[in-house]
Amino acid sequence: MPNRLTENRDLLESLFVFGLWKDPKCFRSFRNKIASGEFFSSVPAQFYYNLGLNMFEKGYDEFDKVSVATTVNAIPGLATEYNKLGGFETYEDVKRGVKSENLEGLYNDITKLNCLTTLHEKGFDVLGNWAKMQKMNTEQIRRYFSFQLNDTFLNQSNANSKIEDFTITDEDDHFFQSGSAMGFSIAEVAPLLNYELLGISNGLTFIGAASNVGKTAFMIRVLFYSWLKAGYKVALASNEQGLREFKQLVIAMVSHELNNKEFLTRRRIKMGNYTSKEGALYQAAKEYINEHLAKKVMFLKIFDYSMDSVEQFFEIASARGFKAGIYDVFKADDMESGAARGQMIEASKVLFNCADRNQMSIVASIQLALYMENTRYLRLSNIGHSKQVVEPATEVILIRELWDCECSGEKYDIKCYNFEYNPKTGQKIIGMDGKPVKKFIEIPAGTHEDYRLAFISKTRNAKKGVVIVFRYDGDANDWVELGYATKISTQDRGMNRK
């Protein structure tokens, strides 16, 4: 490895690791950022980092000679390696020159060296541009080499614009006649919604709801899980829930699907300490997921709301053959700042262009404005920080709970209906008036919390304003599409609602 990439590297790593030792609470800020076995290049740094993290997770808030020795001696074989690397004296030799306020800078310096080393190993001319590299941070380096690639390949073909012939070709014939213009199907769970939208199209789709209504749950069951079962590969990026939370959600869905009445609920999965029967249910779900689903998922956990990371992730996913992506949750870097509206508008453009450029279908969840939670008929204006945020989107679906006053037999009642179908042909039965025969589905009073209304607020494939009724079981994350909602009043409900 060239000297420029290794000089001072061991010192940087020592200062960083023992800076964490000096102020152990700092492990909390960095442990999720550091990939095990990949961040440090030196054996001592990796060893002392792992030892310090182990002590921090056991509750030590100060590392002294006695506490470190106690931890080392409790783990078989660790003392030999510890003494070989100099023991506690190694820390004492370095700690005087360490300041916890320098940790972020040291972390960034090591991250930058890791990136430069990887680029060099892949054949990029890092050393020839060393003076430039020294002045850049990691994100600037990424953009620099990305620009070089774009300049070399994309711009040669004038990728930003293309003059084309309007003649309808044989390829067009095949595209239209094969139904390729349809988006990714969600008919497994939501045939009516799928019919109205003609699937989830390439481009950008937003799923909006207020907090705790189920927008993430909806995306995971109706889209993510359905697509995986259909054989599609799905890229999933999240800046709120972690990988284990999504795994838990999918385990509950699979367990419910495999066993129906006897399954592991989301709550039971969290609690652990399973009975032998529950253990068998868990094992069956695990085996199904690992055999049929896991290899079709690419997951990214984001620790901020930077669109750079999201865009880069979907670019990589597309290059690996992923054509469906989910982003949970779409927000600005600082939702409370005055710049949030502008940030979100620009970020939505970036996400749309990423989807369009890579011919992907990207679906993002988005929060509805809290101050409009009493709105009965959901519209684009319900989206926080301006409906301009969703302007680039192809489709927007907004979800809310059914309210008790809408299944009480009174003024604001919502009726749910589907159609009668011929069991042999699958076609709608036509009545004497020449219209499809409707069948109405009762929503019992007092069960409103088990139902959700999905408003098609923007689409290029159907009428706006169509509302679909779902029954929702949070224990299994099971969504059952019941039918269409009859006309919903535009009269908002009062503040002293039930």
Side-chain angles (χ1 to χ4, degrees):
M1 189 62 63
N3 287 338
R4 286 178 177 177
L5 292 171
T6 57
E7 61 185 351
N8 298 323
R9 175 71 187 248
D10 289 352
L11 176 60
L12 285 172
E13 293 186 0
S14 294
L15 291 171
F16 177 69
V17 170
F18 290 130
L20 294 173
W21 274 49
K22 194 170 183 179
D23 190 0
K25 69 177 182 294
C26 293
F27 273 100
R28 185 176 291 109
S29 301
F30 291 98
R31 60 182 171 181
N32 289 328
K33 297 180 179 182
I34 295 175
S36 177
E38 297 177 7
F39 186 75
F40 300 104
S41 66
S42 74
V43 172
Q46 185 67 63
F47 177 87
Y48 281 101
Y49 173 79
N50 290 341
L51 175 58
L53 181 61
N54 180 283
M55 292 182 65
F56 169 73
E57 290 180 341
K58 285 182 177 177
Y60 288 100
D61 55 11
E62 185 176 347
F63 297 173
D64 56 31
K65 198 167 188 175
V66 174
S67 62
V68 174
T70 301
T71 303
V72 167
N73 292 326
I75 303 174
L78 201 63
T80 302
E81 184 69 15
Y82 177 64
N83 292 325
K84 182 179 173 183
L85 294 173
F88 196 77
E89 285 69 25
T90 301
Y91 166 50
E92 289 187 315
D93 289 343
V94 178
K95 71 176 184 180
R96 294 179 188 84
V98 169
K99 294 182 179 179
S100 58
E101 55 263 35
N102 293 336
L103 285 173
E104 190 67 39
L106 289 166
Y107 169 80
N108 291 335
D109 287 343
I110 297 169
T111 301
K112 177 178 170 179
L113 280 173
N114 284 340
C115 292
L116 291 174
T117 300
T118 302
L119 287 166
H120 172 75
E121 290 172 344
K122 291 181 180 291
F124 289 89
D125 186 14
V126 170
L127 301 179
N129 293 283
W130 190 250
K132 274 183 190 170
M133 299 295 104
Q134 292 293 89
K135 298 175 184 177
M136 296 181 185
N137 60 33
T138 304
E139 178 57 25
Q140 289 169 333
I141 290 170
R142 185 190 77 79
R143 289 182 178 277
Y144 174 81
F145 282 105
S146 178
F147 174 79
Q148 301 302 316
L149 288 171
N150 289 342
D151 189 53
T152 302
F153 295 104
L154 300 180
N155 290 341
Q156 295 300 317
S157 59
N158 195 21
N160 292 328
S161 61
K162 187 177 181 182
I163 298 173
E164 296 184 274
D165 183 10
F166 201 74
T167 302
I168 297 174
T169 65
D170 292 343
E171 290 180 358
D172 292 328
D173 294 344
H174 175 73
F175 178 82
F176 292 125
Q177 292 177 22
S178 65
S180 297
M182 290 275 289
F184 286 92
S185 175
I186 53 173
E188 188 227 357
V189 178
L192 298 178
L193 186 59
N194 187 71
Y195 169 78
E196 295 294 341
L197 299 176
L198 299 182
I200 303 296
S201 306
N202 280 348
L204 177 60
T205 298
F206 278 109
I207 308 290
S211 182
N212 295 321
V213 168
K215 55 185 175 295
T216 300
F218 179 88
M219 290 200 305
I220 293 301
R221 179 59 190 96
V222 179
L223 285 70
F224 178 77
Y225 186 39
S226 297
W227 290 343
L228 292 180
K229 291 202 296 179
Y232 298 117
K233 294 171 24 173
V234 186
L236 172 60
S238 172
N239 51 33
E240 292 198 349
Q241 296 192 78
L243 179 57
R244 283 222 169 104
E245 283 80 9
F246 285 106
K247 286 180 178 178
Q248 170 203 316
L249 199 56
V250 176
I251 290 169
M253 292 189 297
V254 170
S255 177
H256 178 260
E257 193 165 79
L258 293 179
N259 304 283
N260 197 4
K261 291 185 179 179
E262 296 185 15
F263 67 95
L264 283 174
T265 66
R266 294 164 66 182
R267 179 180 174 83
R268 191 68 192 89
I269 294 166
K270 272 189 177 181
M271 292 170 64
N273 297 311
Y274 307 139
T275 65
S276 58
K277 189 171 186 178
E278 289 171 334
L281 293 172
Y282 174 87
Q283 192 62 31
K286 173 186 172 182
E287 289 174 2
Y288 179 89
I289 291 167
N290 288 347
E291 182 178 349
H292 299 286
L293 309 179
K295 297 296 187 292
K296 292 179 281 193
V297 180
M298 182 175 174
F299 180 80
L300 174 72
K301 180 69 176 85
I302 307 159
F303 296 98
D304 56 23
Y305 296 99
S306 167
M307 193 51 61
D308 291 331
S309 300
V310 178
E311 182 184 18
Q312 185 181 11
F313 171 66
F314 286 130
E315 294 273 4
I316 293 169
S318 175
R320 295 183 183 180
F322 288 73
K323 292 303 175 188
I326 289 176
Y327 176 36
D328 185 49
V329 176
F330 182 85
K331 288 185 178 180
D333 290 339
D334 181 2
M335 292 297 290
E336 301 303 319
S337 77
R341 176 176 173 273
Q343 286 178 8
M344 292 182 71
I345 291 172
E346 289 307 310
S348 68
K349 293 176 184 176
V350 170
L351 202 55
F352 169 79
N353 287 331
C354 177
D356 188 53
R357 185 169 61 250
N358 292 287
Q359 287 298 289
M360 288 185 77
S361 173
I362 296 178
V363 183
S365 61
I366 191 169
Q367 189 89 7
L368 297 191
L370 183 62
Y371 67 88
M372 299 187 77
E373 66 175 355
N374 293 301
T375 304
R376 193 178 297 277
Y377 194 93
L378 298 184
R379 304 177 178 85
L380 296 183
S381 56
N382 287 84
I383 292 171
H385 294 281
S386 163
K387 65 180 182 181
Q388 286 178 275
V389 170
V390 297
E391 192 61 39
T394 305
E395 272 102 23
V396 179
I397 302 165
L398 303 181
I399 301 171
R400 71 165 173 85
E401 293 179 328
L402 186 72
W403 299 335
D404 57 350
C405 62
E406 294 171 328
C407 57
S408 60
E410 298 180 6
K411 179 179 179 181
Y412 295 113
D413 250 24
I414 290 175
K415 298 291 189 295
C416 175
Y417 69 91
N418 209 318
F419 297 100
E420 296 280 3
Y421 291 89
N422 185 311
K424 293 183 178 179
T425 65
Q427 300 296 312
K428 292 177 184 175
I429 297 174
I430 305 301
M432 297 294 290
D433 60 358
K435 297 179 180 179
V437 177
K438 294 179 180 178
K439 65 174 181 180
F440 286 86
I441 298 101
E442 181 184 1
I443 300 176
T447 64
H448 56 282
E449 292 181 351
D450 298 331
Y451 295 85
R452 299 291 185 271
L453 304 177
F455 294 72
I456 300 178
S457 299
K458 181 180 181 182
T459 180
R460 296 175 185 170
N461 297 314
K463 292 186 300 182
K464 286 193 309 179
V466 172
V467 182
I468 309 288
V469 182
F470 288 87
R471 187 173 64 242
Y472 170 53
D473 177 1
D475 285 342
N477 194 35
D478 186 39
W479 292 73
V480 178
E481 185 187 65
L482 298 179
Y484 295 96
T486 52
K487 188 174 181 180
I488 295 175
S489 171
T490 56
Q491 178 70 47
D492 295 342
R493 64 176 175 177
M495 292 304 293
N496 53 343
R497 67 188 189 281
K498 293 183 180 179

